[in-house]
Amino acid sequence: MADPGITTQRRDAITLGADAIRSFAERLRGALIQPDDERYDEARRVYNALHDRRPALIVQAAGVADVMTAVTFAREHALPLAVRGGGHSVPGFGTCDGGLVLSLERMRGLRVDPERRRVRAEGGCTWADLNHATAAFGLATTGGIVSSTGIAGLTLGGGLGYLARSCGLTCDNLLSADVVTAEGRFLTCSEGQHEDLFWAIRGGGGNFGVVTSFEYRLHEVADILGGPTFYPLEAEVIRGYRALIAEAPEALGAVLGITLGPPLPFVPEQWHGRPVVVVLTCWSGSTTEDDAIRERLGRLGPVVGQAVQRLPYPVINTLFDELLPAGLHHYWKGCFTRELTDEAIDVHLDFGARMPCLQSATLLFPVDGACQRVAPDATAFAYRDATFATVLGPSWPDPADSEHNIAWGRAYHQALRPYSEEGGYVNFMSGDDADRVRANYRQNYDRLVEIKTRYDPTNLFRLNQNIAPVRLA
């Protein structure tokens, strides 16, 4: 029987009776925002402008009690529930039409324990927040490469970044987490508490509850040698990068990008807007090796521009911030590769030469070193035998260009399929990748279904790369 308190007016307004909403608001410490509120348009906006959705209710939670209240309300009233951490979700999972958006943006508390090398951070924190707090003690953990990315989404999907080769994935550094389940229960999970839930959230995405805080292991990382080196779009450069990753010390974090030359002072004007390869370097080893790292980068090919210098670690995660502000349109595709073959490099050269927009990029993240010293069934993140995780990232400012950019991304992904694994990294997936979920988790999928069925049997948390519970599968 349908909830008699709900009526449907238009796609943005499943409305409840005034008494139900008033009672809900009275139980919240944070803000409850509805479509007629002057704050509504700002509150509903997300990072990816491709998703212009109109939720019926937006809760800006002030703390765990608000999260528990909002989850219970959504369940009892059968409302679609979108959970928003940093708001970067490219598939648009942090918003919805006609449902309830639970935003953690006000929950940004942090506490660093420098003696034990740990940090506990609330679920609304961004990597800018966390890096700033830990850098004061010369400490860091693997995080994203855009500082406004939320810690929650990146961690729950696995967590690739510059420090992954030496420190492991973000989820490998997760020591415990506080989770509000679909029943509205508050659980702390770790290797010694609710071990099944702890296993699942390390790579299984937002399928199992709302994570209100994360406790991470920290590593000694202060200043690093970092920055971009640009080269012509040539096969020999990419092959050289492939060899570099195979032989380099794990302290060298190096992400390869294919993009259009940006209008930066150290990039000659004749290269602005032309297809280029960029190697984004983060050397966290000894300063005595700095010159050797620069020399090795110089041997990859003709350098058309470089800005590699000693930086505080948080700075390396801000290099994309100005290029990728909120409000662009994004459509991503992802794949894992066990071997970066010459044939795959030819595909990258072909599509890289037709890069559709200055903000677009293809990125290859190494998945080796410390990442591969974790067993493939030790966490939900399954592709420990991959060498690279690739993201094809069309990004563009003008909505009129959406069809062209999306078609380019889809064709690129299709062309790479013969040289890629069946599954991909869930944080690089788009909303139309639901048919790949089983492949994304390989041998771990059946166990994830069991845990999903135990903690969320009605699939309340379904706005994600969804692992359906047994009875709904």
Side-chain angles (χ1 to χ4, degrees), residues 92-327:
F93 295 142
T95 186
C96 61
D97 281 322
L100 189 155
V101 168
L102 172 55
S103 173
L104 308 185
E105 63 192 283
R106 295 188 176 188
M107 296 176 58
R108 297 172 80 160
L110 283 147
R111 186 181 186 280
V112 180
D113 184 341
E115 292 186 3
R116 299 173 68 208
R117 294 184 187 174
R118 297 185 177 190
V119 60
R120 181 166 288 279
E122 288 189 302
C125 288
T126 65
W127 285 104
D129 298 327
L130 190 141
N131 290 335
H132 174 75
T134 59
F137 303 96
L139 300 170
T141 198
T142 304
I145 67 171
V146 177
S147 72
S148 56
T149 303
I151 65 170
L154 188 115
T155 303
L156 296 175
L160 293 167
Y162 293 116
L163 299 180
R165 298 186 72 226
S166 58
C167 302
L169 302 174
T170 311
C171 71
D172 298 337
N173 291 284
L174 189 66
L175 298 170
S176 70
D178 294 334
V179 183
V180 175
T181 70
E183 294 179 342
R185 296 173 62 206
F186 175 83
L187 303 176
T188 297
C189 61
S190 67
E191 290 287 4
Q193 297 174 277
H194 304 288
E195 296 93 334
D196 56 347
L197 182 58
F198 187 57
W199 178 88
I201 66 171
R202 287 176 290 165
N207 276 280
F208 307 96
V210 183
V211 182
T212 58
S213 74
F214 299 80
E215 182 187 20
Y216 299 102
R217 178 188 301 109
L218 297 174
H219 306 264
E220 288 189 8
V221 180
D223 288 355
I224 54 94
L225 179 74
T229 305
F230 291 92
Y231 311 85
L233 179 61
E234 296 176 355
E236 288 306 312
V237 176
I238 303 177
R239 292 189 188 114
Y241 168 80
R242 179 179 63 190
L244 173 67
I245 293 301
E247 66 188 22
E250 292 175 4
L252 180 65
V255 176
L256 180 134
I258 301 171
T259 188
L260 299 179
L264 297 172
F266 59 88
V267 176
E269 188 173 350
Q270 64 265 32
W271 284 96
H272 294 180
R274 290 178 59 184
V276 293
V277 173
V278 59
V279 175
L280 301 156
T281 304
C282 177
W283 167 250
S284 56
S286 169
T287 57
T288 61
E289 299 295 321
D290 285 5
D291 289 342
I293 296 296
R294 289 193 182 94
E295 190 272 336
R296 186 65 182 84
L297 291 169
R299 296 207 309 267
L300 295 183
V303 174
V304 300
Q306 185 179 61
V308 176
Q309 58 191 307
R310 277 277 147 184
L311 303 166
Y313 169 72
V315 174
I316 194 68
N317 292 311
T318 67
L319 298 184
F320 286 107
D321 288 8
E322 290 188 12
L323 183 66
L324 298 172

Side-chain angles (χ1 to χ4, degrees), residues 67-79 81 83 102 179-187 197 206-211 451-462 464 469:
V67 173
M68 296 168 69
T69 298
V71 168
T72 299
F73 186 83
R75 186 189 70 249
E76 291 178 345
H77 293 280
L79 289 172
L81 175 62
V83 182
L102 172 55
V179 183
V180 175
T181 70
E183 294 179 342
R185 296 173 62 206
F186 175 83
L187 303 176
L197 182 58
N207 276 280
F208 307 96
V210 183
V211 182
I451 297 169
K452 173 73 170 182
T453 304
R454 190 175 311 135
Y455 286 95
D456 186 15
T458 64
N459 208 13
L460 177 67
F461 300 111
R462 60 185 178 273
N464 44 48

